Amino acid sequence: MNSLASPSAAPARAKRHLPAFLSHPSVVVGGFLVLAIVLMAMAAPLLGTVDPTRIDPGMRLKPPSELAWFGTDLFGRDVYSRAVYGARSSILIGLCVATAALLIGVTVGLVTGYFRWVDAIVMRVMDGLMAIPTFLLAIALVSLTRASIGTVVVALTIPEIPRVVRLVRSVVLTVREEPFVEAAISVGTSTPKILVRHILPTTYAPLMVLGTYICASAILIEAGLSFLGTGLPPEIPSWGNMISEGRTFFQVAPRLVFLPSLFLALTVLGINLLGDGLRDTLDPRIAKRM
Amino acid sequence: MLSFVARRVLGLVPVILVVSIVVFLLLRLSPGDPAIVIAGDNADAATIERIRSSLGLDQPLVTQFFIWAGSLLQGDLGISIFSNIPVADLILQRLEPTASLAVTTLVFAILIAVPLGTIAGATAGSWLDRGLMLVSVLGFSVPVFVLGYCLIYVFSLQLRILPVQGFASISDGIGPFLSSIALPTVTLGLAYLVLIARITRASVLEMMGEDFIRTARAKGVKERLVVTRHALRNAAIPILTVIGIGVALLISGVVVIETVFNIPGVGRLVVDAILKRDYPVIQGVILMFSGV
């Protein structure tokens, strides 16, 4: 009977927030930016692009023209097409890392927050992971294997997990003492059911906010890795790869660096604004927990 | 107090242990075999085997870890597989540019962020406050290397007032040092600056609503002194905390920024080591940065 109460409570709360959500300027601007980039990534073949991997030695480092709107790069590839297609890798990586980090982090966080004896061990491991600078850990992880989207996702997910675990754990620690949890225990609800039906929904709001930040940070770190030459393989069009290849010719053709940089900055800006707006509207207290 | 310090220090032990196990496993389990790399293309199996045993790579993993951790405790970070120079020496050689950059960035960011954040917090809602919040979101969103290239473009290529890349030691004179480190400092410092400014603003703003501020105003303290002596001073703890946390942020930035500006520092060292799979160097640098 308790189990009936919480699922209906969650949508009700979401509905109440919906107007506040959409009227917040950060959410509107950020949401618009993110939507535009996602649409651009999905509709990439329709946006006047050519094959972003097509190499044309006769067209090397050409300035912008009607054929290539932002000119061509060292291998004669169309810069505009590569930048548009680059949105696909960034968004894919951002989403995958955020989803994976949230799923793993939530599972570990729920268990550690609820069972005190696991807590001490797991949190020490998490502290240790957090002590290693995110970027260095990701770089070291990605250098373990051949570069591919999969390895980059794994390498970016691992350093983000401790942040999720900490957040979920802190929510669980406060919620598990609440009367509704005690009530659930007293009527004999099984522990997994308490965790999933009663405690898990209280973490949704802060997790949504953290998820957007993880997504933004993953996109930034991927670009940084690719920039250093340790990220995605060079044949995959990605903003980091483009900046990395373009930097050699920066003095001759700064557009090679600037166009992907602009897309990258706008995407991350959009996601961050969205996150800030969600944080303000969903729960002002979240800001302090992070 | 003493027992508090002791407990905090003891609390660090498991963290350090976990960091060292992670760092050790991470790099020892990677597929690239340094023995084969060092032996070169034409080496026979016996040569590779000899190199492997001379590096201790033929020992069981647990033994390797204890040997490594044992020498670590004596301050021995091992020897670079490629250059045969002790890792500690390699790091020391590269420390000056990185340390200089870290210090100038800290000074730059704090000197600007704290006054800016304080004014914004004291005048919440003003144009300065709104402007700062806008810039701070931008500062979090623009990757350091992008910002770096923008600054190089404006100041080095268009205005031609600062060198494009490179590093001049402080022993080469204060002028060349400052002009070579100006752009990297601003680039690296911006994200850090907005982080500190944001926390300063929030923390001063919170203090401005306290009773003791009203009391101070009531007894006729000048508004400037109310803000600096009363609000800022009480807001100091979160600000100091975030300055500390932000150092981790700086480290990620340093690795990238040294590549952008071609600075021969520790960040460049670790990137090169990763590209060459030079385990001891990677381990040493990560441990050093995690220790910070």
Side-chain angles (χ1 to χ4, degrees), chain A residues 81-167:
Chain A
S81 303
R82 282 181 78 70
V84 171
Y85 274 94
R88 291 188 166 184
S89 359
S90 285
I91 287 171
L92 183 70
I93 283 175
L95 285 181
C96 287
V97 171
T99 315
L102 287 183
L103 283 180
I104 302 173
V106 165
T107 316
V108 178
L110 278 179
V111 173
T112 47
Y114 199 79
F115 302 105
R116 303 300 295 151
W117 55 273
V118 200
D119 192 55
I121 309 162
V122 175
M123 287 323 284
R124 289 300 82 72
V125 176
M126 293 298 149
D127 286 347
L129 275 180
M130 273 186 113
I132 305 175
T134 315
F135 193 73
L136 279 185
L137 184 55
I139 252 193
L141 282 169
V142 97
S143 68
L144 289 184
T145 45
R146 238 161 19 91
S148 72
I149 291 202
T151 36
V152 171
V153 168
V154 173
L156 295 186
T157 303
I158 293 176
E160 301 288 357
I161 291 175
R163 281 161 67 183
V164 185
V165 172
R166 280 198 164 187
L167 178 71

Side-chain angles (χ1 to χ4, degrees), chain B residues 94-166:
Chain B
R94 302 288 199 98
L95 202 56
E96 196 212 325
T98 306
S100 319
L101 185 56
V103 171
T104 50
T105 306
L106 268 173
V107 173
F108 165 77
I110 295 172
L111 280 185
I112 296 186
V114 173
L116 211 61
T118 310
I119 300 172
T123 60
S126 66
W127 62 268
L128 180 94
D129 180 40
R130 281 156 200 258
L132 179 73
M133 292 321 272
L134 188 72
V135 173
S136 76
V137 186
L138 281 175
F140 283 130
S141 306
V142 180
V144 280
F145 49 93
V146 170
L147 183 66
Y149 281 119
C150 290
L151 292 176
I152 292 181
Y153 185 73
V154 174
F155 290 98
S156 307
L157 298 181
Q158 298 294 316
L159 300 174
R160 298 181 183 279
I161 48 176
L162 289 168
V164 177
Q165 283 177 328

